[in-house]
Amino acid sequence: MHSSLRLGIDLGGSKIEILALQGSQERLRRRCPTPQGDYPATLAAICSLVEECERELGMQGSVGIGIPGTRSPDHGRIKNANSTCLIGQDLAGDLEQRLQRPIRLANDADCFALSEASDGAGAGAASVFGVILGTGVGGGIVIHGRLLAGPNAIAGEWGHNPLPWRQPADDRPMRCYCGLDDCIETFLSGTGWAARSGLGLDAGAIALEASQGVPAAQQALARYAEQLARSLASVINVLDPEVIVLGGGLSNIGALYSLVPALLSPHVFSDQVNTRLVPARHGDSSGVRGAAWLWP
Ligand SMILES: [Zn+2]
């Protein structure tokens, strides 16, 4: 007997990727550039990827899609998206109409968390906090294999809390695009870190120089690790997840997995910190895998 086909779509700012899963077996993967600022063309591109996949595999699948934003529980249209042509659109409804089937849609950080909790670095854990450290800072929470979804559809969005336990070394206040000052994202995103370090380098270059022993870059990395530890500690105090999985470009900085756990303790309300901090197993593929996992 064939197990059913699940299609996952990762709608990113620069590319749209589709993955066909049968069981946990990858059958097919395709991608195309994201039409820039053009909602109808974006819809058409998604639909032709689905049609192409199904034609090639000779069967129909369920469709899940991860987006850089959230479907509002109030009106069903997209909010909080950095691909602004999506904002206010009924993406799920429009795709359901064109593809003639129900669509499940989730935030891309939620898809990441679901993928890593299902068969990734957090597999088998009762509770997983999946964290994206990239151009933005996002997160998703999976409890007993299911995404936590609240009435505002923002579970895990720790990036727009303020950096906790502020210290003089934390740098000057900085306005976040969300309108508030000193959001965690303004410290821990790649662009935020690069801007605050004042080294005139991007995040990847700072990480490289730190690994080569350049003192200024090492200092910037030490400060980053300390701010990340403080920010995660405040999440641990509320959620107490069994595993924290890091994804996004900055999760590739190997030093974080030795530096950060040692820095959690002063801020976690416990004599010992048993939380595991691990890198993502599926890396950049987690978005598209998690989208497929939106259907059980
Ligand atoms: Zn913010």
Side-chain angles (χ1 to χ4, degrees):
M1 198 184 98
H2 290 293
S3 50
S4 59
L5 186 70
R6 287 177 298 179
L7 302 175
I9 296 158
D10 184 23
L11 173 55
S14 58
K15 66 170 171 52
I16 306 173
E17 186 168 14
I18 189 166
L19 169 72
L21 280 185
Q22 204 166 10
S24 54
Q25 189 87 13
E26 290 198 13
R27 292 288 309 276
L28 193 146
R29 201 186 266 266
R30 293 275 182 282
R31 54 169 64 180
C32 71
T34 307
Q36 295 301 304
D38 187 339
Y39 179 68
T42 302
L43 274 183
I46 294 169
C47 292
S48 47
L49 281 175
V50 170
E51 283 152 13
E52 191 186 320
C53 250
E54 295 187 331
R55 199 166 43 237
E56 208 165 317
L57 296 172
M59 62 197 296
Q60 222 188 44
S62 62
V63 177
I65 178 165
I67 62 158
T70 304
R71 181 177 184 274
S72 164
D74 302 312
H75 47 66
R77 295 184 299 277
I78 305 302
K79 66 173 182 177
N80 296 0
N82 54 17
S83 298
T84 48
C85 80
L86 298 176
I87 291 175
Q89 302 288 356
D90 181 12
L91 178 59
D94 291 338
L95 286 174
E96 283 179 347
Q97 200 181 25
R98 280 174 176 72
L99 295 170
Q100 291 295 303
R101 73 195 83 175
I103 303 288
R104 289 193 179 167
L105 183 146
N107 174 256
D108 48 10
D110 282 349
C111 289
F112 166 79
L114 185 59
S115 165
E116 290 297 328
S118 298
D119 66 349
S127 53
V128 176
F129 181 44
V131 168
I132 300 284
L133 299 171
T135 44
V137 172
I141 298 164
V142 178
I143 308 287
H144 299 302
R146 293 191 57 180
L147 267 173
L148 184 64
N152 305 296
I154 54 166
E157 290 290 353
W158 69 312
H160 296 278
N161 281 348
L163 184 77
W165 299 288
R166 281 298 302 257
Q167 298 171 2
D170 283 334
D171 190 26
R172 67 197 185 283
M174 206 175 266
R175 179 64 43 97
C176 179
Y177 75 87
C178 76
L180 298 174
D181 282 333
D182 282 356
C183 288
I184 285 170
E185 181 162 307
T186 71
F187 293 89
L188 300 184
S189 69
T191 45
W193 183 36
R196 286 182 181 275
S197 72
L199 297 174
L201 298 170
D202 67 17
I206 302 173
L208 181 66
E209 288 203 350
S211 72
Q212 293 165 342
V214 177
Q218 281 184 320
Q219 253 171 39
L221 180 59
R223 189 161 55 243
Y224 184 89
E226 206 278 324
Q227 290 166 339
L228 176 57
R230 260 185 276 155
S231 303
L232 289 175
S234 70
V235 174
I236 293 171
N237 284 338
V238 176
L239 190 66
D240 199 9
E242 198 173 319
V243 184
I244 298 174
V245 184
L246 302 186
L250 284 85
S251 71
N252 296 318
I253 303 174
L256 292 177
Y257 303 94
S258 52
L259 292 172
V260 173
L263 296 164
L264 289 170
S265 196
H267 305 289
V268 173
F269 186 59
S270 172
D271 55 352
Q272 197 170 323
V273 182
N274 298 319
T275 320
R276 287 191 287 134
L277 181 74
V278 295
R281 178 180 295 166
H282 297 301
D284 291 342
S285 288
S286 255
V288 76
R289 292 180 68 89
W293 281 109
L294 288 172
W295 290 92

